[in-house]
Structure formats: C-alpha cells, structure tokens
Amino acid sequence: AEIGPVTATGRDEIDAKGRIITPGFVDVHTHYDAQVTWAQQIVPSSCNGVTTVLMGNCGVTFAPVRSKDRGLLAGMMESVEDIPRQAIIDGLPWNWNSFGEYLDAIEALDPALNVAALAGHAATRFYVMGERAVEEKATPEEVKAWQNGGDYFMTGKFDAMKLFVVVPAVIQIVVFFMMLGVMAINEYIF
C-alpha cells in the first residue's frame, strides 16, 4: 500500500479520473425511523456518501410498542421530525411489537444503506410503564425491565410528555446498562 501518488498497478482498477473517492460515512444522528419503511433509498443520506445510518436518536423510536400506543410514538416523532403524526401512523407497516421485531422488519425491507438503531428511552419507558411513564418515576423493577434485547439504549431530552426523569435517575439508568455490558448513549449535558 502506498500513500500519495501510486506507481504500482492494482489487481482491480477503476477509472476515477475527475471524481472524488472517499470511504463510506456513518451518520450517527438520524431520525429515519419511519422514513426507512417507506423510502428504502434513505435520501438525502444515500446521496451524500453516507453508507451507514444510526436511528433512534433523542430517545424516540417506534419499538417496543403495543398496538394501542402507536399514535403516541408517532406524535413523539412528529415533534422531532415534523412528519405529520397521521402520515407516520398510515405509512408504517407496524408489523412488530418488540425492538427485535422492528429491526427484523427493517432488515426485510432491504434498505439501500446499512441501518443501525438505538432502543429509545421514550418508547421503552412507555412500553414498560404504560400511562404512568408520563408523570411518575419508574420502580427499580421497571428500570431493569427496560433492557429489552437491544444492544444500545438511548436517552434524550423529550420534554413534551414529561417522559424523562431527573438527572440522578438518568445516571442510574446509564450505570445499570453499563453493568449489563450494554452501551449507554446519553444526550444530556451535565
């Protein structure tokens, strides 16, 4: 391998004269959680050299979900991405309940880019606590139940429904997941 002008020939070569050659980029903060289900090209990221997108940021995702709670999750995404709630409700196939089933559903659509997803705090908290998630603190058992098979867990600053708890509870969540060997990603600024 050489850096700079290369004098040797490669096993396979393409003519890239007049073009820019770069590695694929990873977009680590997207909200394609709904769009990926109806537009597998994942534009504009796919037009900008991105090869991998990470969804589920800001604690907002569409899984886990119970059928009766789809509108709530669609409303959360509407406030983040300005996609009308009804368009999300009508546009998603909703052929999942668990986070793992959601990932399977996305994989079955064969998106144009590599897709990774975070298990969001809002959806997970509401799935475990139901209506209590809006105003009440989680019990220690409920905090443990939040680990629902996802590799990553995302918290965020979604104030509209008062879903997030005070800083000490966020620290407790992060420490809990770290003890389980799960990567905890947090957008809070301390």
Side-chain angles (χ1 to χ4, degrees):
E2 297 178 45
I3 298 176
V6 177
T7 56
T9 58
R11 183 180 59 224
D12 296 313
E13 294 187 4
I14 59 169
D15 182 5
K17 192 173 197 167
R19 304 207 184 267
I20 298 172
I21 307 299
T22 67
F25 294 100
V26 179
D27 189 343
V28 297
H29 193 115
T30 76
H31 293 282
Y32 288 127
D33 309 65
Q35 181 180 333
V36 70
T37 69
W38 62 68
Q40 286 81 44
Q41 291 301 312
I42 313 178
V43 173
S45 288
S46 61
C47 296
N48 293 312
V50 172
T51 58
T52 303
V53 295
L54 179 62
M55 306 182 313
N57 288 281
C58 299
V60 181
T61 56
F62 294 115
V65 64
R66 290 184 176 81
S67 297
K68 67 182 180 69
D69 298 328
R70 293 173 180 167
L72 173 79
L73 298 185
M76 287 183 202
M77 185 61 77
E78 177 182 41
S79 72
V80 172
E81 276 300 298
D82 203 26
I83 299 171
R85 178 181 174 275
Q86 197 60 48
I88 293 170
I89 291 169
D90 295 342
L92 290 177
W94 298 106
N95 55 344
W96 62 81
N97 292 103
S98 73
F99 185 72
E101 291 168 342
Y102 174 65
L103 297 179
D104 290 343
I106 292 169
E107 184 177 12
L109 295 169
D110 194 27
L113 304 179
N114 300 309
V115 175
L118 302 166
H121 184 173
T124 305
R125 181 178 168 87
F126 201 84
Y127 188 82
V128 170
M129 296 178 65
E131 294 290 334
R132 291 185 40 256
V134 177
E135 297 285 341
E136 296 180 28
K137 291 182 178 180
T139 66
E141 294 77 25
E142 288 167 331
V143 172
K144 288 178 185 173
W146 290 346
Q147 210 298 341
N148 68 342
D151 292 325
Y152 303 97
F153 180 81
M154 180 73 180
T155 65
K157 297 179 277 194
F158 192 82
D159 297 343
M161 299 210 40
K162 301 178 187 171
L163 285 174
F164 297 98
V165 292
V166 294
V167 171
V170 171
I171 293 170
Q172 179 185 7
I173 293 166
V174 171
V175 169
F176 173 77
F177 283 103
M178 289 172 73
M179 288 172 37
L180 289 173
V182 174
M183 179 180 170
I185 298 174
N186 193 329
E187 292 188 344
Y188 286 96
I189 298 171
F190 296 102

